[in-house]
Amino acid sequence: MLPNSVPWLRALLRACAACLFAALAACGGGGGGTSTEAVTPVATPTAPAASAAVPPASAASAATASLQVDWPPVPFDVSPDYPFDIRLYAIGGDGKETWAVKCSAHISCAVEEGPKLVVTSRAEAQPVEAAITLTVTDGQGNKGSKTVPITAWPKSLKVTSLLGAPDRPGIHLLILNDGFLPGDMGLFRDAADGVLKELFDRPEIAIHRDAWNVHVAELVLLDDVTGQAKASTLGARLGCYGTLSPIICFEEGRVKRAALAYLPHYSSIVLIVNSTTVGGSGGSGVAAITRQPKSAEVAVHELGHAFAGLADEYINQGNTPPYQEFNSPNLTLKTDRNEIPWRHWIAPDTPLPTPVNALTMAPNFVGLFEGGGYVSNGIYRPTYDSFMGASSKLLGPVNAEAWALSVYAKGGAWRRVAPAVTTTLARSEQPAGGWLFEAQPLLGRAIAETRWYVDGVERTDQRGAGQLLLPATGAVQVRVDLVDLTGLVRLDQGVVSTLKWTVP
Amino acid sequence: MKHRHHLLLGLMLALAAGTATAGEFVALRMRVTANGHELLSARRFQAPEGTSQGWNTHSDHPLAWQMLDGRGQVLSQGTVGDPRVLRGPLEPGGGHAIVVRPTAEYFLRVPVDARATDLQLQPLARVSAAQGSRPKALQAQGEGAGLPPQRLDLRGVMRGPQ
């Protein structure tokens, strides 16, 4: 990119480029040897709306010397689902422009009235870095041309489920890769396995493993001409905020577009970058890590934030406490036993705040430890240390409860519910055999159990059942609670989900 | 802005007007800059029962959205993390580095509902100033102050071309 401070140089180069293009065009070239689409001239309409949006063609003699295609400076992707459609503009024309387009093998393109460019992907199996060459010619014969890269996404991409299946209820973790060439996919799969191992080697997480679906997509961006794999598909790189910074940056839109194209109902994304340096980043629903084995801990810590809603428990700044209560289950400003969010985990004889000693430093000892949320005093955390303070540590009971509640809240409670709980049940529509209420838990009965209530009274004979049949009853209220049996959830006596039906 | 992206027209055709069904959603591709939020494109898809609950992200820096009908009633709502915020890996003794970027692209996944007219986005806080005890943020050049609430017209996306 040339600096704006040397406009003469830009003008000179533009003029040279125009000459070069003209020479190529005279030789029958004009866009490189990879194009497959026919050139389709389309006249620029003179409709007021269109011409109003085009930069004014005043001082035409000066302007036409540098006729340019005005293409926005943002990367463009094209999905196979629908045509990509963008309005075309020229800078410096005389208002009588015509357009032509050439595009490479993995996309089809045409200029239609508007004028607008319509592009559709032809990629198969893997994304392809393709190119479009646009040429604009004005009424005086001046030409401008621009070749722009575009990523063509394929209709289907091989997504392999390491756990569960794409169409199964539950939590869907999608693991994507960047920087892995086809021959490196074994390294990617090893790193993905490492994330699963880091996740499910923690017993508090593993106990609800059946609620998880984990998928990997082996992405490789292919060069349109050579068919060779490009170095990066998703633009991931280390050092984007300083050479020594371990923060991973990536083209976020491209990462999520890939996820939406192939697993649109994903819950969280882990992006594994082909680097052996420890690094990572989190936020916006993507945990980026490298394949360095310690980086898998970064992914689990980030899921602690994004999936379980947990706050950082470490201390690294000053001593000014925050001015309002945290909205996280693992930090509080409260010191009154009855107000502490995790009071159901604190033994009656535990002093509050809790002093640090050999007993209270035990991993599962729950109390009220001062410091957390980056500051040293005025704020309290539940355990002496945990994985939200240092990634390698254990979850601790309070964080494990928050994680378990998130499993149920984020899709892991039920695999089938009928009738829909949002439906008002009309008494006149009661089936001949009576109402059949169905609530099938996603997890097995050893993990979670149903408790059915009819007008507030538990049907103990139906404990653990997935259905309740009620013969003709008239008005009735039916409720089913799902109770976690793992011991990880103490809040609300372990009730993790409730469904209600009312027949008025 | 010289360029007016006409992606939405094609997308509206793809989305085609229809009745909301259980498990049917629209992914809204959005961009946030110092000037506010912009709807770039949309895509309709089906999701297995219950999975939409997993799309709400807890965050220290939340972006709350509501989908409204013509009378301003909330039809659905959710929260995602502030898309401008990028968190570095947790480093022993050093904590996270927080980067606040001036612009970011993000997705919202909302249920298909033909009654929906607007997407309302709650203000995004200025991350470094409003979070007194948060990690020192690396302010990216050009980052704007807290963005005001904003409404975007969803009728085209939900109903298809009129």
Side-chain angles (χ1 to χ4, degrees):
Chain A
M1 184 69 78
L2 286 168
N4 288 326
S5 56
V6 284
W8 60 271
L9 182 57
R10 297 172 74 88
L12 179 64
L13 288 175
R14 271 188 218 124
C16 290
C19 293
L20 179 61
F21 179 82
L24 286 169
C27 293
T34 62
S35 302
T36 59
E37 293 297 307
V39 175
T40 314
V42 174
T44 300
T46 54
S51 54
V54 172
S58 59
S61 59
T64 51
S66 59
L67 181 62
Q68 294 173 60
V69 174
D70 181 25
W71 186 268
V74 291
F76 280 93
D77 289 6
V78 54
S79 299
D81 302 4
Y82 44 81
F84 171 90
D85 177 341
I86 187 168
R87 186 73 177 267
L88 296 173
Y89 293 92
I91 297 174
D94 60 2
K96 298 176 182 174
E97 293 85 22
T98 56
W99 290 84
V101 62
K102 285 186 172 185
C103 59
S104 48
H106 290 86
I107 48 177
S108 64
C109 55
V111 175
E112 297 182 355
E113 280 194 26
K116 64 181 180 182
L117 174 67
V118 181
V119 186
T120 305
S121 173
R122 287 178 175 169
E124 295 175 3
Q126 287 292 352
V128 177
E129 188 173 82
I132 298 170
T133 300
L134 282 159
T135 303
V136 59
T137 306
D138 71 9
Q140 300 176 42
N142 297 300
K143 288 182 182 290
S145 183
K146 187 160 196 162
T147 298
V148 291
I150 194 163
T151 300
W153 289 91
K155 279 191 168 49
S156 62
L157 181 76
K158 188 181 176 190
V159 176
T160 305
S161 297
L162 303 180
L163 270 182
D167 57 354
R168 180 177 173 268
I171 301 136
H172 289 267
L173 179 65
L174 177 61
I175 303 179
L176 298 173
N177 71 81
D178 195 26
F180 293 85
L181 299 175
D184 298 333
M185 285 305 165
L187 297 173
F188 167 55
R189 293 295 286 270
D190 288 347
D193 288 342
V195 172
L196 257 68
K197 182 170 168 33
E198 184 66 35
L199 199 59
F200 295 118
D201 271 0
R202 296 170 185 263
E204 309 94 324
I205 296 175
I207 202 162
H208 294 115
R209 181 186 173 108
D210 287 349
W212 288 77
N213 303 279
V214 181
H215 320 282
V216 292
E218 296 180 352
L219 278 173
V220 177
L221 180 65
L222 301 175
D223 184 273
D224 183 66
V225 179
T226 65
Q228 298 294 307
K230 308 288 282 187
S232 173
T233 307
L234 302 170
R237 62 205 185 279
L238 279 155
C240 43
Y241 289 99
T243 314
L244 300 177
S245 168
I247 297 177
I248 295 176
C249 300
F250 50 88
E251 288 185 27
E252 198 168 343
R254 185 169 283 195
V255 170
K256 292 192 175 175
R257 250 170 287 172
L260 281 171
Y262 307 110
L263 196 76
H265 52 280
Y266 72 86
S267 312
S268 294
I269 301 170
V270 171
L271 170 63
I272 300 178
V273 180
N274 191 7
S275 167
T276 53
T277 304
V278 176
S281 61
S284 303
V286 179
I289 60 171
T290 67
R291 67 178 172 88
Q292 210 282 344
K294 290 290 283 182
S295 290
E297 291 176 358
V298 175
V300 178
H301 176 90
E302 285 303 325
L303 287 170
H305 286 303
F307 176 73
L310 297 166
D312 285 315
E313 294 179 9
Y314 64 84
I315 300 162
N316 72 342
Q317 285 184 20
N319 55 9
T320 307
Y323 53 85
Q324 62 182 17
E325 179 71 346
F326 269 72
N327 188 29
S328 300
N330 61 331
L331 289 180
T332 187
L333 305 182
K334 310 288 188 186
T335 54
D336 182 325
R337 185 180 294 268
N338 295 320
E339 294 183 314
I340 298 167
W342 57 86
R343 56 189 174 276
H344 49 283
W345 287 101
I346 303 175
D349 58 349
T350 299
L352 305 176
T354 306
V356 176
N357 56 45
L359 173 68
T360 63
M361 287 171 69
N364 288 329
F365 188 97
V366 178
L368 190 70
F369 293 86
E370 189 163 27
Y374 321 117
V375 295
S376 59
N377 61 324
I379 185 165
Y380 301 89
R381 65 189 190 280
T383 51
Y384 174 71
D385 59 20
S386 86
F387 84 130
M388 295 313 291
S391 300
S392 60
K393 302 291 184 182
L394 301 174
L395 270 72
V398 174
N399 293 341
E401 180 181 62
W403 189 290
L405 290 171
S406 289
V407 167
Y408 290 106
K410 295 194 166 187
W414 309 102
R415 67 180 162 83
R416 179 172 161 74
V417 175
V421 289
T422 52
T423 308
T424 301
L425 301 176
R427 207 182 299 183
S428 59
E429 294 175 5
Q430 178 179 303
W435 290 107
L436 179 64
F437 299 95
E438 186 169 14
Q440 302 285 357
L442 181 63
L443 295 166
R445 191 171 173 184
I447 303 296
E449 184 179 73
T450 55
R451 310 267 168 90
W452 292 88
Y453 296 83
V454 177
D455 291 330
V457 178
E458 188 188 354
R459 290 282 300 270
T460 52
D461 59 318
Q462 293 294 310
R463 192 169 274 201
Q467 296 179 333
L468 177 70
L469 179 63
L470 285 184
T473 54
V476 68
Q477 287 192 324
V478 173
R479 185 182 99 219
V480 59
D481 288 346
L482 187 65
V483 179
D484 183 273
L485 303 177
T486 65
L488 291 179
V489 180
R490 290 187 181 175
L491 198 66
D492 297 331
Q493 288 77 50
V495 176
V496 291
S497 182
T498 294
L499 304 172
K500 291 178 182 172
W501 295 269
T502 300
V503 181
Chain B
M1 193 171 177
K2 285 171 288 195
H3 270 281
R4 298 192 192 285
H5 298 200
H6 285 233
L7 284 166
L8 277 183
L9 180 59
L11 292 163
M12 288 175 197
L13 290 168
L15 294 173
T19 310
T21 60
E24 193 172 16
F25 296 87
V26 181
L28 303 171
R29 183 177 151 227
M30 311 285 294
R31 181 189 294 137
V32 60
T33 67
N35 297 322
H37 303 268
E38 182 185 3
L39 174 60
L40 299 177
S41 62
R43 181 171 194 256
R44 190 174 284 204
F45 67 96
Q46 296 281 339
E49 185 81 32
T51 49
S52 63
Q53 301 303 315
W55 303 339
N56 286 330
T57 307
H58 301 283
S59 174
D60 285 352
H61 316 294
L63 166 60
W65 60 267
Q66 294 93 31
M67 198 164 71
L68 308 175
D69 68 10
R71 294 179 298 171
Q73 300 294 310
V74 176
L75 299 173
S76 57
Q77 57 190 329
T79 307
V80 296
D82 184 338
R84 302 171 304 170
V85 175
L86 194 63
R87 196 170 37 239
L90 183 57
E91 295 184 88
H96 292 294
I98 301 284
V99 176
V100 187
R101 299 166 296 174
T103 179
E105 197 174 296
Y106 66 100
F107 286 86
L108 295 177
R109 288 170 286 183
V110 302
V112 171
D113 192 331
R115 298 170 298 167
T117 59
D118 291 284
L119 176 71
Q120 180 168 273
L121 296 153
Q122 293 301 319
L124 279 171
R126 186 179 176 87
V127 175
S128 62
Q131 313 285 333
S133 58
R134 293 289 188 265
K136 186 180 178 186
L138 306 173
Q139 292 302 124
Q141 195 174 19
E143 188 231 341
L147 293 170
Q150 191 176 342
R151 282 194 183 187
L152 298 171
D153 192 336
L154 278 188
R155 287 174 296 182
V157 170
M158 290 297 172
R159 300 175 191 172
Q162 301 302 302

